[in-house]
Amino acid sequence: MLVHIPHVLTAAQVAHCRDVFAQATWEDGRATAGHQSARVKQNLQLPEDSPQARELGDLVLQCLEHSPLFISAVLPQRVFPPLFNRYEQGMTFGSHVDNAIRPLTGTPLRLRTDVSATLFLSDPDSYDGGELVVEDTYGSHSVKLPAGDLIVYPASSLHHVTPVTRGARLASFFWVQSMVRDVSQRALLFDLDMAIRQLNQEVPTSPSLVMLTGVYHNLLRQWADP
């Protein structure tokens, strides 16, 4: 299930991110890659423990808390602190699957990566290439979104970033452990929630709203691991 979540960051917040990036020191992106991914990863990354990464990561997390669509699509239990990468001309990230478990740096906690997320921070017309391509049972999906928009998709998906041929692609990426680990169950809950919201706009006094809302929460009660 791929879900496009628009306007997670405002234009002013995106501009702030770019200002911070311009003053930051970047490192080889393979610093956070697993063994298999490191073989096909060619990009730059803000050091995970840098003040810039922590500042911008906190900003992204605050914005996610105010995104009903993100919460509905992902049902987050725990979010990995957002990381930030940069693809310059010739850089790419070959086909890979994200690590299933990631340790939370500085804590004894580990996070199960149910959902992967990419937050685009470059205007799409400022660079060529750099599409995120996600493969699922319905084929390959090429994603290149406006700055400030987010795409979420199952972390179990095979995916890659095509080579950048002009400009620079800036993005934040992170993973989410969902309260509902099964992707098909999350998809059903998301579709049901979207239908309830639509019905609430069209016929807000319908008794069916109470029944459907009850079905949603009873399914969530059955499937969730809070």
Side-chain angles (χ1 to χ4, degrees), residues 125-177:
D125 59 357
S126 70
Y127 64 100
D128 294 331
E131 291 87 358
L132 170 67
V133 180
V134 181
E135 300 180 22
D136 62 18
T137 54
Y138 301 101
S140 296
H141 308 273
S142 181
V143 183
K144 188 174 183 179
L145 300 180
D149 286 15
L150 176 74
I151 189 76
V152 296
Y153 56 96
S156 56
S157 304
L158 187 67
H159 57 282
H160 67 274
V161 177
T162 65
V164 170
T165 58
R166 178 185 65 87
R169 175 194 190 267
L170 300 166
S172 174
F173 63 101
F174 55 93
W175 301 273
V176 182
Q177 179 171 316

Side-chain angles (χ1 to χ4, degrees), residues 159-222:
H159 57 282
H160 67 274
V161 177
T162 65
V164 170
T165 58
R166 178 185 65 87
R169 175 194 190 267
L170 300 166
S172 174
F173 63 101
F174 55 93
W175 301 273
V176 182
Q177 179 171 316
S178 176
M179 290 186 290
V180 177
R181 73 166 67 193
D182 185 271
V183 62
S184 62
Q185 293 174 344
R186 284 200 310 274
L188 286 171
L189 287 168
F190 178 69
D191 289 344
L192 180 56
D193 190 31
M194 292 300 100
I196 291 170
R197 294 180 187 216
Q198 185 67 29
L199 186 60
N200 196 41
Q201 292 179 356
E202 296 173 352
V203 279
T205 60
S206 172
S208 299
L209 275 170
V210 176
M211 296 178 62
L212 288 174
T213 302
V215 170
Y216 175 89
H217 284 285
N218 285 331
L219 287 173
L220 183 59
R221 184 176 292 110
Q222 180 176 345

Side-chain angles (χ1 to χ4, degrees), residues 90-157:
M91 292 184 175
T92 184
F93 197 165
S95 294
H96 64 285
V97 175
D98 292 334
N99 291 348
I101 304 294
R102 297 197 70 96
L104 293 172
T105 304
T107 79
L109 301 175
R110 295 178 180 271
L111 178 144
R112 186 185 66 243
T113 59
D114 298 318
V115 179
S116 295
T118 297
L119 175 63
F120 289 78
L121 296 171
S122 293
D123 294 321
D125 59 357
S126 70
Y127 64 100
D128 294 331
E131 291 87 358
L132 170 67
V133 180
V134 181
E135 300 180 22
D136 62 18
T137 54
Y138 301 101
S140 296
H141 308 273
S142 181
V143 183
K144 188 174 183 179
L145 300 180
D149 286 15
L150 176 74
I151 189 76
V152 296
Y153 56 96
S156 56
S157 304

Side-chain angles (χ1 to χ4, degrees), residues 54-66:
R54 289 197 296 267
E55 176 199 345
L56 298 184
D58 288 344
L59 171 64
V60 172
L61 290 175
Q62 291 168 11
C63 293
L64 293 175
E65 290 176 358
H66 295 91

